[in-house]
């Protein structure tokens, strides 16, 4: 059945999104190649799904979405079927391109593919997918039934402070085709689509900018190149295939573990392609399409929105200074306004998440990641002396850490510096200026600021830097290869570069799925049965109470996988039951700015079961319909009769109570 559903997804998603988005390209059709049409059509198909969700939800006619989409697709098929056939034919003419796309899907998708698969012990989750992945599954389930969405983990509260445009697409697609399984969609099907767009987007952009060889190498450096973490592993006599995050930043090969970030980078690449096409043809329609993508980009991912604003303002300013044309500058200003408004709508207190904390990442990298306490002691010593000599030494000391931070994360993409520093004031390259500005802004943001909540989340800006450096590295690599006349030397040089690029990428596979590696968490068959009962036998607006996460619960187990409730503060109850909870995923709620301290305190008081009046009032006040417990979690006898509960489901591991006071 899985293979059948995969085929159905591929047939719906790729042709479907193409034919939805293809009419948008009608005024630029003659100036785009078949592969550019394929890529841009799918991108604007995704954009259409998002806008369709917003509009039909606002007008309360969401039930018309599927008929409308089917109608548009049928009209588009009639008009553009030959274009689609030409695009697919062109794609398969290049065996190396097809190979690189398939390899990209496999490598990038491996962060997701094995999680959420049913096995003998239940549903297993690798890496952080029991938290990060299930968060997006919960958002998909929530958007499927309600828009604007409520916070599925904190019933009766709106969803705020989260960029969920990518989840709108995933949730609406799931709503339109509900026969597809949410876990398969998130962990296996969407990664195929996003990996395809990442690789084809880079290819189209660099091919249009340079040539085929540069485009293939750019695909390699953006998808298959890791950090220099393996060098540190060698120095420490550790396994060579390891060390992806030694210098803090996750690399491009794991980006699909964060769909908003992945889609943000896909759209940044699309903006680069549209800028290149606009510079070549001076067709304003490319700018209009760019504006559609860039205006709300902060709603996809705040980091991508920031970089798009900075890049477009820089390009617009240079175009005005050197060419006396205001159009791109106006676009940059509009994009800045659009992203600001988008950010304020989804996150009214967005500025409170940014903390000025210069060099936090290099400092903690040296101590926490590289175990160099001596470096930190020297830094503190120089800072305490307040002399000119000490100040100069402090600057050198800090520069050393910053250099390791940047070089270590960049890896062999350092080749891209040859292109990244190029400046031609006679004829500026719009995409070059955009990437150069984006590189500078990404690095400065990470060096100067951290994020409130989970401090290291701000490191995601570095992945934009790595993406742009990967593109520059591909262009540089093609240039070097072209200069080498001897084919044997070309092969040797290419092999060396590949060998220096991939160790940490291979290392991820060993870290997650290698010999002796097990999933980190699992949802048992007993819990799946209980949560499925809730899904099939309760009202869709029912609210579920669960015991607060116990940070010490994992001490009761000696090996992985751990029961997911003991492993981490996750949202699995909602993800599987599709019923809102009060409250779960405490860390996720804290990250997104909810004040839950008092509620957690009251939840713990309720679990004490020593105050009947408080217990009754608590359930009523928070509109709780059912209580879901793993039997091992219950430390105090639940006063069923006294607080008005009835047992409605029970198996060997789980018990579910219904609140009869409602």
């Amino acid at each position: 059945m899985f293979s059948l559903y995969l085929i159905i997804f591929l047939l719906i998603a790729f042709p479907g999104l193409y034919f939805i988005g293809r009419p948008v390209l009608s005024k630029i059709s003659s100036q785009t190649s078949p592969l550019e049409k394929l890529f841009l059509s799918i991108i604007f198909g995704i954009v259409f799904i998002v806008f369709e969700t917003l509009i039909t939800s606002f007008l309360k006619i969401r039930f018309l979405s599927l008929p409308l989409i089917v109608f548009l697709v049928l009209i588009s098929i009639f008009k553009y079927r030959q274009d689609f056939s030409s695009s697919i034919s062109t794609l398969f003419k290049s065996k190396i391109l097809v190979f690189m796309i398939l390899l990209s899907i496999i490598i990038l998708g491996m962060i997701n593919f094995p999680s959420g698969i049913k096995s003998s012990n239940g549903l297993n989750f690798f890496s952080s997918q029991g938290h990060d992945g299930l968060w997006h599954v919960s958002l998909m389930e929530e958007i499927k039934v309600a828009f604007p969405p409520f916070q599925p983990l904190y019933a009766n509260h709106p969803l705020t402070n989260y960029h969920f445009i990518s989840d709108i697409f995933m949730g609406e697609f799931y709503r339109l085709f509900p026969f597809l399984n949410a876990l398969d969609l998130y962990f296996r099907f969407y990664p195929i689509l996003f990996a395809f767009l990442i690789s084809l987007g880079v290819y189209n952009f660099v091919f249009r900018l340079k040539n085929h060889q540069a485009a293939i190498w750019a695909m390699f450096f953006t998808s298959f190149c890791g950090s220099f973490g393996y060098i540190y592993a060698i120095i420490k006599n550790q396994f060579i295939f390891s060390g992806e995050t030694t210098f803090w930043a996750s690399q491009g090969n794991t980006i699909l573990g964060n769909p908003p970030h992945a889609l943000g980078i896909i759209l940044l690449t699309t903006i680069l392609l549209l800028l290149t096409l606009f510079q070549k043809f001076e067709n304003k329609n490319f700018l209009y399409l760019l504006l559609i993508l860039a205006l709300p980009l902060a709603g996809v991912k705040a980091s991508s929105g920031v970089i798009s604003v900075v890049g477009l303002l820089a390009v617009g300013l240079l175009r005005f200074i050197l060419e006396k044309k205001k159009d791109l500058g106006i676009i940059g200003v509009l994009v800045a306004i659009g992203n600001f408004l988008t950010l304020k709508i989804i996150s009214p207190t967005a500025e409170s998440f940014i903390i000025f904390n210069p060099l936090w990442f290099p400092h903690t990298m040296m101590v926490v990641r590289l175990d160099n306490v001596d470096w930190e002691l020297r830094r503190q010593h120089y800072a305490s002396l307040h002399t000119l000599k000490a100040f100069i030494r402090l600057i050198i000391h800090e520069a050393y850490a910053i250099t390791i931070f940047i070089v270590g994360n960049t890896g062999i993409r350092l080749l891209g510096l040859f292109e990244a520093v190029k400046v031609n004031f006679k004829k500026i390259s719009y995409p070059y200026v955009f990437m150069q500005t984006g590189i500078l802004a990404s690095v400065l943001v990470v060096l100067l600021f951290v994020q409130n909540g989970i401090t290291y989340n701000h490191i995601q800006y570095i992945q934009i830097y790595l993406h742009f450096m990967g593109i520059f590295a591909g262009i540089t690599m093609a240039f070097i290869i072209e200069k080498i006349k001897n084919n044997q030397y070309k092969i040797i040089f290419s092999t060396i570069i590949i060998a220096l690029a991939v160790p940490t990428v291979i290392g991820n596979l060993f870290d997650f799925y290698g010999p002796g590696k097990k999933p980190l968490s699992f949802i048992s068959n007993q819990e799946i049965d209980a949560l499925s009962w809730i899904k099939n036998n309760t009202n869709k607006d029912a609210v579920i109470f669960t015991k607060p996460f116990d940070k010490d619960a994992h001490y009761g187990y000696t090996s992985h996988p751990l029961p997911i409730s003991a492993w981490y503060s996750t949202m699995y109850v909602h993800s599987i039951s599709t019923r809102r909870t009060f409250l779960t995923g405490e860390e996720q709620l804290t990250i997104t700015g909810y004040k839950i301290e008092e509620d957690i305190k009251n939840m713990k008081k309720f679990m004490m079961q020593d105050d009947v009046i408080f217990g009754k009032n608590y359930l009523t006040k928070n509109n709780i319909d059912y209580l879901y417990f793993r039997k091992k979690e219950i430390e105090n006898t639940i006063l069923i009769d006294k607080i008005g509960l009835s047992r409605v489901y029970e198996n060997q591991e789980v018990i579910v109570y219904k609140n009869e006071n409602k």
Side-chain angles (χ1 to χ4, degrees):
M1 287 296 291
F2 172 79
S3 298
L4 176 61
Y5 284 132
L6 174 59
I7 292 170
I8 291 173
F9 171 80
L10 295 176
L11 291 176
I12 293 174
F14 285 88
L17 291 172
Y18 176 91
F19 286 115
I20 291 172
R22 178 61 183 84
V24 179
L25 310 183
S26 58
K27 293 186 178 181
I28 61 168
S29 181
S30 62
Q31 295 170 335
T32 50
S33 71
L35 288 181
E36 289 168 347
K37 288 186 183 70
L38 177 63
F39 174 73
L40 291 171
S41 294
I42 293 175
I43 290 294
F44 283 99
I46 292 173
V47 171
F48 179 89
I49 295 294
V50 172
F51 278 103
E52 167 269 309
T53 306
L54 296 173
I55 294 169
T56 58
S57 297
F58 177 76
L59 296 176
K60 301 187 185 305
I61 55 171
R62 208 173 173 194
F63 63 93
L64 292 177
S65 297
L66 186 58
L68 172 64
I69 289 172
V70 171
F71 176 72
L72 292 175
V73 167
L74 290 176
I75 293 176
S76 185
I77 288 174
F78 179 77
K79 188 172 183 179
Y80 299 112
R81 61 187 183 280
Q82 289 184 344
D83 276 357
F84 180 70
S85 177
S86 174
S87 295
I88 298 300
S89 175
T90 303
L91 175 64
F92 282 96
K93 281 181 181 177
S94 174
K95 291 184 175 59
I96 183 63
L97 175 58
V98 172
F99 171 77
M100 291 294 287
I101 289 175
L102 291 176
L103 189 60
S104 173
I105 290 171
I106 293 170
I107 297 299
L108 271 64
M110 283 304 293
I111 189 71
N112 286 36
F113 288 157
S115 292
I117 294 177
K118 189 75 181 292
S119 64
S120 59
N121 71 324
L123 292 170
N124 289 302
F125 298 93
F126 294 81
S127 182
S128 61
Q129 295 296 355
H131 177 275
D132 297 353
L134 288 182
W135 165 238
H136 291 287
V137 172
S138 280
L139 289 179
M140 286 168 55
E141 293 286 3
E142 175 66 22
I143 290 168
K144 178 184 176 184
V145 298
F147 199 90
F150 285 89
Q151 173 53 261
L153 315 183
Y154 198 17
N156 309 315
H157 290 76
L159 178 63
T160 60
N161 295 328
Y162 192 77
H163 32 247
F164 56 87
I165 284 182
S166 63
D167 298 286
I168 295 176
F169 164 70
M170 294 190 292
E172 179 69 355
F173 189 97
Y174 176 36
R175 186 185 74 87
L176 295 172
F177 306 102
F179 55 85
L180 295 171
N181 179 275
L183 295 177
D184 281 336
L185 277 170
Y186 178 79
F187 289 112
R188 282 161 285 284
F189 297 171
Y190 291 142
I192 294 173
L193 175 62
F194 288 157
F196 174 84
L197 292 174
I198 288 172
S199 53
L200 185 61
V202 169
Y203 177 84
N204 275 323
F205 164 55
V206 180
F207 181 81
R208 173 64 71 172
L209 191 66
K210 295 295 180 179
N211 54 54
H212 171 75
Q213 187 175 32
I216 293 296
W217 277 110
M219 292 172 72
F220 170 79
F221 283 109
T222 52
S223 292
F224 312 133
C225 182
S227 72
F228 277 144
Y230 62 90
I231 294 178
Y232 179 76
I234 293 172
I235 293 172
K236 291 293 184 177
N237 294 316
Q238 298 170 357
F239 186 46
I240 184 174
F241 294 116
S242 62
E244 180 206 16
T245 59
T246 295
F247 308 101
W248 268 125
S250 296
Q251 301 293 305
N253 61 290
T254 60
I255 196 170
L256 292 186
N258 188 337
H261 198 34
L263 185 57
I265 284 181
I266 289 168
L267 295 179
L268 284 175
T269 307
T270 311
I271 289 170
L272 287 169
L273 174 61
L274 292 171
L275 271 177
T276 307
L277 289 165
F278 170 71
Q279 185 165 24
K280 180 177 178 61
F281 297 108
E282 286 286 333
N283 182 342
K284 294 291 180 66
N285 290 296
F286 289 113
L287 290 187
Y288 302 147
L289 295 179
L290 184 155
L291 191 61
I292 292 172
L293 297 181
L295 270 176
L297 192 49
V300 177
K301 189 69 175 178
S303 54
S304 296
V306 169
I307 299 306
S308 71
V309 169
V310 172
L312 288 171
L313 286 174
V315 174
L317 179 61
L318 280 176
R319 179 172 165 87
F320 176 71
I321 293 173
L322 299 177
E323 303 175 28
K324 309 303 179 187
K325 295 179 180 178
K326 300 178 181 179
D327 46 10
L328 264 175
I330 294 172
I331 292 292
V333 171
L334 291 175
V335 168
I337 295 171
N339 277 270
F340 175 77
L341 294 176
T342 300
L343 200 58
K344 295 303 288 185
I345 290 171
I346 64 175
S347 182
T349 59
E351 63 280 358
S352 66
F353 287 86
I354 306 301
I355 301 173
F356 182 67
N357 193 348
L359 304 183
W360 184 90
F361 282 105
H363 290 173
T364 55
M365 174 199 69
M366 295 299 293
V367 178
V368 178
R369 313 300 289 182
L370 302 182
D371 196 28
N372 192 341
V373 179
D374 181 65
W375 179 90
E376 175 61 16
L377 293 175
R378 289 174 180 272
R379 186 188 71 82
Q380 292 181 18
H381 173 69
Y382 296 145
S384 68
L385 295 179
H386 305 295
T387 65
L388 178 60
K389 184 177 180 180
F391 180 69
I392 293 172
R393 285 188 174 182
L394 180 62
I395 292 175
I396 295 172
H397 206 60
E398 297 282 22
Y400 173 74
I402 293 170
T403 301
I404 291 178
F405 175 73
I406 294 174
V407 171
N409 279 310
T410 308
I412 199 61
R413 281 169 293 225
L414 284 170
L415 283 171
L417 282 175
F418 292 102
E419 287 293 320
V421 298
K422 279 188 176 180
V423 179
N424 184 350
F425 289 108
K426 291 183 179 179
K427 183 173 176 55
I428 61 170
S429 169
Y430 299 163
Y432 266 55
V433 172
F434 187 98
M435 289 191 290
Q436 288 162 338
T437 309
I439 283 172
L440 182 61
S442 298
V443 172
L444 285 177
V445 166
V446 171
L447 290 179
L448 297 177
F449 300 96
V450 296
Q451 180 176 314
N452 191 15
I454 295 187
T455 308
Y456 61 79
N457 267 6
H458 221 53
I459 196 68
Q460 292 171 3
Y461 275 89
I462 284 293
Q463 287 182 311
I464 298 175
Y465 157 79
L466 294 177
H467 187 71
F468 290 166
M469 283 299 293
I471 290 171
F472 280 134
I475 295 170
T476 302
M477 187 69 180
F479 174 80
I480 295 172
I481 292 292
E482 185 180 353
K483 294 299 181 182
I484 299 174
K485 301 304 180 184
N486 186 298
N487 287 334
Q488 187 176 359
Y489 291 160
K490 287 183 179 182
I491 294 172
I492 293 172
F493 180 71
S494 299
T495 302
I496 291 172
I497 295 300
I498 292 171
L500 293 173
V502 301
T504 64
V505 176
I506 298 172
N508 284 138
L509 301 180
F510 279 100
D511 288 343
F512 299 152
Y513 318 116
K517 299 294 183 179
K518 296 180 180 180
L520 293 185
S521 62
F522 76 103
I523 304 174
S524 70
N525 289 314
Q526 296 285 325
E527 287 209 74
I528 293 171
D529 290 343
L531 294 168
S532 297
W533 183 89
I534 292 175
K535 181 177 181 178
N536 296 324
N537 295 277
T538 65
N539 293 329
K540 292 183 178 181
D541 58 354
V543 176
I544 312 299
F545 173 88
T546 66
K547 182 184 176 182
F549 175 65
D550 180 1
K551 295 180 180 179
D552 297 325
H554 67 279
Y555 290 119
Y557 303 89
T558 58
S559 64
H560 288 100
L562 302 180
I564 196 167
S565 60
W567 169 69
Y568 209 69
S569 163
T570 83
M571 54 292 300
Y572 79 100
V573 171
H574 175 270
S575 300
I576 307 302
S577 73
T578 73
R579 300 297 182 261
R580 294 174 187 142
T581 56
F582 190 92
L583 51 76
T584 57
E586 293 93 330
E587 182 182 273
Q588 185 64 41
L589 293 173
T590 301
I591 293 171
T592 45
Y594 293 92
K595 306 300 181 183
I596 61 173
E597 293 81 6
E598 188 66 24
D599 280 318
I600 295 294
K601 179 181 176 181
N602 289 332
M603 291 176 75
K604 291 179 178 179
K605 182 177 180 180
F606 175 85
M607 291 302 298
M608 294 295 293
Q609 289 292 288
D610 58 0
D611 188 332
V612 173
I613 295 176
F614 173 83
K616 279 188 175 182
N617 291 338
Y618 178 83
L619 295 175
T620 301
K621 177 184 176 182
N622 295 299
N623 198 32
I624 292 167
D625 298 284
Y626 294 88
L627 295 84
Y628 176 93
F629 300 123
R630 295 179 71 246
K631 291 180 179 179
K632 281 188 175 182
E633 296 175 330
I634 302 176
E635 298 174 354
N636 301 294
T637 302
I638 304 297
L639 304 175
I640 301 176
D641 296 330
K642 292 183 178 181
I643 60 176
L645 302 179
S646 64
R647 184 185 294 107
V648 291
Y649 179 90
E650 183 175 5
N651 62 29
Q652 292 178 339
E653 190 175 328
V654 175
I655 188 166
V656 179
Y657 298 108
K658 181 179 180 181
N659 179 15
E660 298 292 354
N661 297 304
K662 294 191 69 176

